[in-house]
Amino acid sequence: MCFASVDEMPNPVDRANYRAAGIRSAVTVPLSVAGRVVGAVGFTTMRRERAWPPEVVHRLRVFASAFGSVLARRESEEEL
């Protein structure tokens, strides 16, 4: 999910919740471990609206992928 303005969100309930929290824009990518989504990594802005360039979104996806790999390795080590 990525939006530069809360007005871009299709769900009115989500828009209301983000506004109530003071969030102006956000980018969120799934955090996967061994093919399962276990969470999300994201950034929000509260002072002003912000566009999220594709390069930033890509870097966040790379970070989430690396973090997911670390968590998967930890799970594997715990199982041993």
Side-chain angles (χ1 to χ4, degrees):
M1 174 184 67
C2 181
F3 63 89
S5 168
V6 175
D7 294 330
E8 295 174 8
M9 298 187 78
N11 186 320
V13 174
D14 289 340
R15 279 195 307 268
N17 288 335
Y18 274 78
R19 281 192 179 110
I23 296 170
R24 307 285 301 269
S25 65
V27 59
T28 306
V29 297
L31 177 59
S32 299
V33 175
R36 311 181 321 261
V37 175
V38 297
V41 177
F43 291 96
T44 61
T45 63
M46 300 179 91
R47 291 186 180 172
R48 62 181 171 83
E49 293 178 351
R50 180 189 195 285
W52 301 95
E55 308 84 48
V56 172
V57 176
H58 174 73
R59 287 182 189 141
L60 189 54
R61 285 189 176 124
V62 169
F63 171 79
S65 176
F67 193 70
S69 295
V70 169
L71 292 176
R73 182 175 177 182
R74 182 174 171 225
E75 271 186 7
S76 294
E77 289 174 354
E78 287 177 357
E79 289 175 6
L80 290 174

